[in-house]
Amino acid sequence: MSKYLSIILAVMLIVSSCGPGGSKRQKSEALKVSSEGSYPVQLMTVDPGHFHAALVQKSMFPQVSPDVHVYAPDGPDVQQHLDRIASYNNRPADPTSWNEIVYKGDDFFEKMLSEKPGNVVVLSGNNRKKAEYILRSIEAGLNVLADKPMIIFPEDFPSLEKAFQLAEEKGVLLYDIMTERFEITTIMQKILSQNEAVFGKLTTGSKNDPAVSKISVHHFSKLVSGSPLIRPAWFFDVEQQGEGIVDVTTHLVDLVQWECFPEQVLSPADIKMEAAKRWPTLISPDEFKGVTGLDSFSDYLQKDVKSGKLNVFSNGEMIYQIKGVFAKVSVEWKYQAPPGGGDTHYSIMQGTR
């Protein structure tokens, strides 16, 4: 377990500390205007099984082409994605005008690589093959915007390391979608913690009283862009989605590093694991149907069904030292928020003042 957790933190260090794969000069060259059009950014969405893929297109930008090529196997995942984009195009306030150019087929990834109608690959869906998709996209000279987690298996870590190295060599970008950095409360906490007259200096804390704690509670059943979220059955399979300790936890680990050690390159040697645990959320058949629309647990989920309920290991907590500072990150998934509630984020940084 300790080796597995060390790899998880190493992935998060690479993503957060390195950010884009490429030097400053390469960053400026990576998204040049394509010879085929006047837009520096031309999106290609691959197998969009998670709603984050659609949220990338919630707003339009002058630098991003309205033509978006989608490559995916035929099925409900891609259709739900297209329906979300259509809802943005048809909303009364500030509608978008995306033009989705769709290819459906089992050879969707090979088709994307052979055609390459864009220069940025958007990956947000089933995570089982994400490491392969990332590396092969980088090898093809494409920029990659990948949702977390970038990998879910320890054995895929070398592949991710190679992808970052190749991105540096090829002058392309490999980015994770670190949305939490743009939340105004997070920005304010970071700014205040750097004001020594207000905050003092960051304490080191202890295992029982960490200097930094970030606790997040999410829900399987929720509204997204005003509509009930329908999740694919594979989202509940840790062998396809990944365990909770490598999913939302990525955001929290990133924020600890971003706030406490800004503009510093970190390495696995800066980390010392103190404690970790994982536990399941129990999902009943009725709850599963409520969020997936399916009458029964899928065959590949039967391995996780005990006493009639699905055990989803979506919850995880880690306490660790980063450059001597004790930090705690904890993520818990519940089925549904209480009336009027929603996902929550708790964050505290302890300073000498």
Side-chain angles (χ1 to χ4, degrees), residues 12-13 16-17 253-262 266 322:
M12 296 172 184
L13 283 162
S16 304
S17 299
V253 170
D254 174 65
L255 290 181
V256 171
Q257 297 163 186
W258 184 67
E259 292 184 64
C260 299
F261 304 97
L266 303 170
I322 175 168

Side-chain angles (χ1 to χ4, degrees), residues 118-136:
N119 59 359
V120 178
V121 177
V122 178
L123 296 173
S124 181
N126 192 309
N127 296 314
R128 177 176 282 170
K129 293 186 176 182
K130 187 178 282 184
E132 175 190 345
Y133 293 162
I134 288 173
L135 179 57
R136 293 187 63 191

Side-chain angles (χ1 to χ4, degrees), residues 319-334:
I319 299 174
Y320 59 98
Q321 291 186 57
I322 175 168
K323 286 197 167 186
V325 175
F326 283 85
K328 172 184 175 180
V329 294
S330 178
V331 172
E332 183 176 5
W333 281 77
K334 299 181 179 181

Side-chain angles (χ1 to χ4, degrees), residues 1 6 36 102 151 159 167 236 300 303 309 313 332 346:
M1 184 68 171
S6 297
E36 298 178 1
V102 184
I151 64 171
S159 177
F236 296 87
Y300 52 77
K303 65 184 186 303
K309 290 191 175 182
F313 279 90
E332 183 176 5
Y346 170 88

Side-chain angles (χ1 to χ4, degrees), residues 183 195 277 345:
E183 292 290 342
N195 187 325
K277 62 180 180 179
H345 176 79

Side-chain angles (χ1 to χ4, degrees), residues 27-265:
K27 292 175 192 175
S28 65
E29 294 176 352
L31 297 178
K32 284 183 176 178
V33 175
S34 168
S35 59
E36 298 178 1
S38 59
Y39 296 97
V41 180
Q42 300 170 345
L43 301 177
M44 299 181 295
T45 306
V46 173
D47 194 12
H50 195 287
F51 69 89
H52 286 176
L55 291 183
V56 170
Q57 297 174 239
K58 192 172 183 178
S59 300
M60 301 193 76
F61 301 92
Q63 305 91 341
V64 181
S65 172
D67 293 334
V68 178
H69 291 260
V70 180
Y71 293 87
D74 196 7
D77 285 2
V78 67
Q79 189 56 53
Q80 288 181 28
H81 172 77
L82 296 174
D83 290 344
R84 291 188 185 106
I85 302 300
S87 71
Y88 300 154
N89 284 346
N90 296 317
R91 65 191 176 201
D94 193 24
T96 55
S97 55
W98 299 107
N99 176 35
E100 302 293 294
I101 304 166
V102 184
Y103 174 82
K104 298 178 183 179
D106 292 338
D107 62 341
F108 63 93
F109 191 73
E110 302 298 334
K111 188 75 170 176
M112 184 276 291
L113 290 180
S114 66
E115 294 183 345
K116 288 199 290 189
N119 59 359
V120 178
V121 177
V122 178
L123 296 173
S124 181
N126 192 309
N127 296 314
R128 177 176 282 170
K129 293 186 176 182
K130 187 178 282 184
E132 175 190 345
Y133 293 162
I134 288 173
L135 179 57
R136 293 187 63 191
S137 296
I138 295 295
E139 288 174 336
L142 296 167
N143 302 280
V144 175
L145 182 62
D147 194 15
K148 51 79 195 153
M150 282 190 170
I151 64 171
I152 60 174
F153 303 116
E155 54 267 29
D156 285 335
F157 183 60
S159 177
L160 186 60
E161 282 188 308
K162 182 179 179 181
F164 272 99
Q165 292 166 358
L166 279 176
E168 178 81 18
E169 295 170 9
K170 290 178 174 288
V172 295
L173 306 183
L174 172 51
Y175 260 104
D176 203 329
I177 304 177
M178 291 288 95
T179 52
E180 294 296 331
R181 291 188 181 192
F182 299 92
E183 292 290 342
I184 187 60
T185 49
T186 300
I187 293 171
M188 291 184 66
Q189 184 180 49
K190 180 182 181 181
I191 292 172
L192 289 170
S193 70
Q194 293 174 341
N195 187 325
E196 193 167 330
V198 175
F199 182 72
K201 294 183 180 297
L202 183 67
T203 65
T204 56
S206 65
K207 181 177 178 180
N208 294 326
D209 184 23
V212 185
S213 293
K214 295 186 180 293
I215 302 171
S216 180
V217 178
H218 285 250
H219 302 88
F220 288 115
S221 178
K222 64 173 70 174
L223 295 177
V224 172
S225 298
S227 300
L229 177 61
I230 301 298
R231 296 189 185 273
W234 59 257
F235 187 83
F236 296 87
D237 182 12
V238 295
E239 294 182 2
Q240 299 184 66
Q241 169 61 19
E243 294 199 14
I245 206 166
V246 300
D247 187 9
V248 177
T249 316
T250 305
H251 282 301
L252 306 187
V253 170
D254 174 65
L255 290 181
V256 171
Q257 297 163 186
W258 184 67
E259 292 184 64
C260 299
F261 304 97
E263 306 303 322
Q264 294 186 41
V265 176

Side-chain angles (χ1 to χ4, degrees), residues 2-23:
S2 61
K3 180 180 178 182
Y4 180 47
L5 291 169
S6 297
I7 289 176
I8 291 170
L9 278 170
V11 171
M12 296 172 184
L13 283 162
I14 284 179
V15 170
S16 304
S17 299
C18 297
S23 66

